[in-house]
Amino acid sequence: YVSRFRFKFLPTATFAEFGKSFEDGNSTLENWLDNNLQKLYIEVRGDSCPPKNEEFSTLALYLGLLTNLDESFKFVVDKFSYDFWKKLFSVVPYASMDSKIDEFWIPELLEAIIELGRKGLKKRGLGEEVFLQPLSDRVQRKITPAEETLKIFNKAGKNQKALKILAQKQGLFP
């Protein structure tokens, strides 16, 4: 999943003013942004092929975290260092979910993040927290979709049979 800030400044804003505000510190920069930022949003691009019945899970998580931004921010920024998050993002593509980063067990970290998202969605009062259940279930099983796919593929013998089983699991064939 890819997220990035998208923004648009007023036509009168200049890079020189932005640079000076940045150099002068947070309060000056915040003031400059308040006066010159026309539009700001987070662009979220989900996986092009999420697991079946999980199409909205990640988007719901983002929405819940944003709705519960104060508590989410405290968890991410105050509880963990930037170096921890860099290490986590460099390790998770290669580690199993049932692993530790430093002294933190990945499933416990993920459960806490999902709970922060759930609280945010509950604040909205629209019942959207149901979309987080597939993520919670996966964390409880301690297996990622990639690990699950590899397990099926290896068990089925790395052949056409494995591909058919995987396609059926993803709902491509009845």
Side-chain angles (χ1 to χ4, degrees):
Y1 301 99
V2 176
S3 301
R4 64 181 177 165
F5 284 110
R6 304 288 289 181
F7 50 86
K8 182 177 181 182
F9 293 109
L10 294 172
T12 56
T14 68
F15 283 115
E17 292 171 344
F18 174 80
K20 178 156 179 26
S21 299
F22 184 82
E23 287 175 0
D24 289 345
N26 283 347
S27 61
T28 306
L29 179 60
E30 286 177 22
N31 187 45
W32 188 87
L33 289 171
D34 285 343
N35 293 320
N36 291 284
L37 195 59
Q38 187 174 20
K39 185 189 293 187
L40 173 66
Y41 61 95
I42 298 176
E43 179 182 293
V44 179
R45 295 185 182 187
D47 185 356
S48 62
C49 189
K52 185 179 176 184
N53 300 320
E54 296 185 28
E55 294 82 4
F56 297 106
S57 294
T58 303
L59 297 174
L61 179 64
Y62 280 130
L63 179 60
L65 292 171
L66 287 170
T67 304
N68 192 18
L69 189 57
D70 288 340
E71 195 175 345
S72 300
F73 185 85
K74 286 177 187 173
F75 180 81
V76 171
V77 175
D78 294 344
K79 190 167 182 170
F80 300 96
S81 70
Y82 179 66
D83 286 336
F84 170 81
W85 292 111
K86 285 191 331 187
K87 186 175 184 178
L88 178 74
F89 278 87
S90 70
V91 170
V92 293
Y94 311 102
S96 100
M97 185 188 297
D98 196 12
S99 299
K100 282 188 173 185
I101 304 294
D102 296 335
E103 71 270 13
F104 300 100
W105 192 41
I106 293 175
E108 286 179 1
L109 180 66
L110 294 173
E111 286 173 2
I113 292 170
I114 292 168
E115 185 55 33
L116 289 167
R118 185 175 285 111
K119 284 180 182 179
L121 293 174
K122 285 182 177 180
K123 285 180 188 177
R124 292 170 49 86
L126 300 172
E128 299 157 316
E129 59 274 8
V130 299
F131 292 113
L132 297 178
Q133 195 56 50
L135 298 177
S136 294
D137 292 345
R138 184 179 313 135
V139 171
Q140 288 174 2
R141 290 190 324 268
K142 298 175 190 73
I143 189 165
T144 66
E147 291 171 309
E148 192 172 357
T149 299
L150 189 57
K151 188 176 176 181
I152 291 169
F153 194 70
N154 286 332
K155 185 177 180 182
K158 300 178 184 177
N159 55 30
Q160 268 188 318
K161 180 181 174 186
L163 293 176
K164 186 173 182 179
I165 291 169
L166 291 171
Q168 287 173 332
K169 181 173 177 14
Q170 292 297 324
L172 299 175
F173 299 118

